[in-house]
Amino acid sequence: SQQGEEDPQALSIQEGENATMNCSYKTSINNLQWYRQNSGRGLVHLILIRSNEREKHSGRLRVTLDTSKKSSSLLITASRAADTASYFCATAPLYDKVIFGPGTSLSVIP
Amino acid sequence: AAGVIQSPRHLIKEKRETATLKCYPIPRHDTVYWYQQGPGQDPQFLISFYEKMQSDKGSIPDRFSAQQFSDYHSELNMSSLELGDSALYFCASGQGRYEQYFGPGTRLTVT
């Protein structure tokens, strides 16, 4: 079974709105990362949050981590058309490889 | 800062041919991971190496093999290529087993 699962699977919003994506996982983790991927392109690392952190910001991105609920959320504020992409959460269980969730496909409509 | 280097970036092969993908980790990183991402899929873990020894194995087909060399670069060898092997192949490196950093990927197209 997958370590990370994301919801929603697809999200469509208007430019300027906020987009929230959630990720749930099953086992204890060392850290959790969010990646963006434009269609067929490489993985762009967005942000890493460690298991002892609860919230992290980077520009228009805000990531939260709730280890008691085994969940994380990625908030993109004031979305732009260029934010259209797939967003993956990737969990790093203790002493193990990173495992990707199925991703959320975000469409930002100009 | 130096990043993970993968070569080639694009590769086109025919069915039943062989392909070799290379990964050069970030300096001083001792762990390399390989992932395969099919169209519309999330990246799937294939195999990893720590200090030149295989450390973990995922859904890697028997037709594929990999190794990590003394300079810590890694190569993924794929033989008897099938159409279904067409995918993005990512390499990631790390120090120990924490904080993997991904390369740009190699796009393999099998025709």
Side-chain angles (χ1 to χ4, degrees):
Chain A
S1 62
Q2 281 184 328
Q3 164 72 333
E5 296 188 3
E6 293 159 68
D7 81 276
Q9 290 188 338
L11 181 61
S12 183
I13 60 174
Q14 295 290 132
E15 202 166 29
E17 292 181 335
N18 295 341
T20 300
M21 289 161 267
N22 302 297
C23 170
S24 61
Y25 56 93
K26 293 183 173 66
T27 65
S28 296
I29 60 171
N30 173 271
N31 64 69
L32 184 146
Q33 303 175 55
W34 285 91
Y35 288 84
R36 184 184 75 229
Q37 186 178 40
N38 292 84
S39 180
R41 307 293 292 273
L43 294 164
V44 176
H45 181 262
L46 295 176
I47 203 161
L48 180 151
I49 186 165
R50 301 182 196 281
S51 59
N52 61 353
E53 297 176 310
R54 291 296 165 260
E55 188 171 313
K56 211 161 180 179
H57 297 254
S58 177
R60 293 183 296 112
L61 305 179
R62 173 177 167 252
V63 168
T64 62
L65 178 64
D66 187 335
T67 53
S68 66
K69 295 180 180 177
K70 291 188 168 58
S71 68
S72 174
S73 67
L74 170 67
L75 168 67
I76 303 174
T77 60
S79 63
R80 305 167 182 168
D83 294 329
T84 295
S86 291
Y87 291 81
F88 294 94
C89 81
T91 52
L94 296 173
Y95 307 111
D96 205 348
K97 58 196 172 291
V98 161
I99 300 173
F100 285 85
T104 293
S105 177
L106 173 66
S107 296
V108 180
I109 303 165
Chain B
V4 176
I5 297 171
Q6 290 188 246
S7 69
R9 294 294 305 278
H10 302 271
L11 188 59
I12 300 174
K13 291 285 186 178
E14 295 187 356
K15 277 186 353 180
R16 293 179 286 278
E17 285 192 320
T18 297
T20 297
L21 308 186
K22 296 183 180 182
C23 170
Y24 297 87
I26 292 171
R28 290 182 294 282
H29 281 192
D30 49 21
T31 309
V32 168
Y33 307 80
W34 285 98
Y35 290 78
Q36 176 193 56
Q37 185 183 27
Q41 305 291 314
D42 53 291
Q44 295 291 316
F45 171 72
L46 293 178
I47 195 167
S48 63
F49 294 87
Y50 170 65
E51 282 292 346
K52 293 156 277 184
M53 300 287 289
Q54 181 181 309
S55 56
D56 202 352
K57 196 171 182 180
S59 51
I60 183 168
D62 292 341
R63 298 177 289 106
F64 293 9
S65 66
Q67 58 181 318
Q68 186 179 31
F69 294 84
S70 57
D71 63 352
Y72 293 99
H73 93 273
S74 177
E75 295 184 3
L76 177 65
N77 298 293
M78 300 177 282
S79 61
S80 302
L81 287 170
E82 301 173 356
L83 296 178
D85 295 329
S86 295
L88 269 169
Y89 290 84
F90 291 103
C91 166
S93 75
Q95 204 157 25
R97 290 186 171 188
Y98 295 92
E99 300 186 28
Q100 299 176 14
Y101 295 83
F102 281 81
T106 293
R107 175 172 294 286
L108 172 66
T109 303
V110 181
T111 62

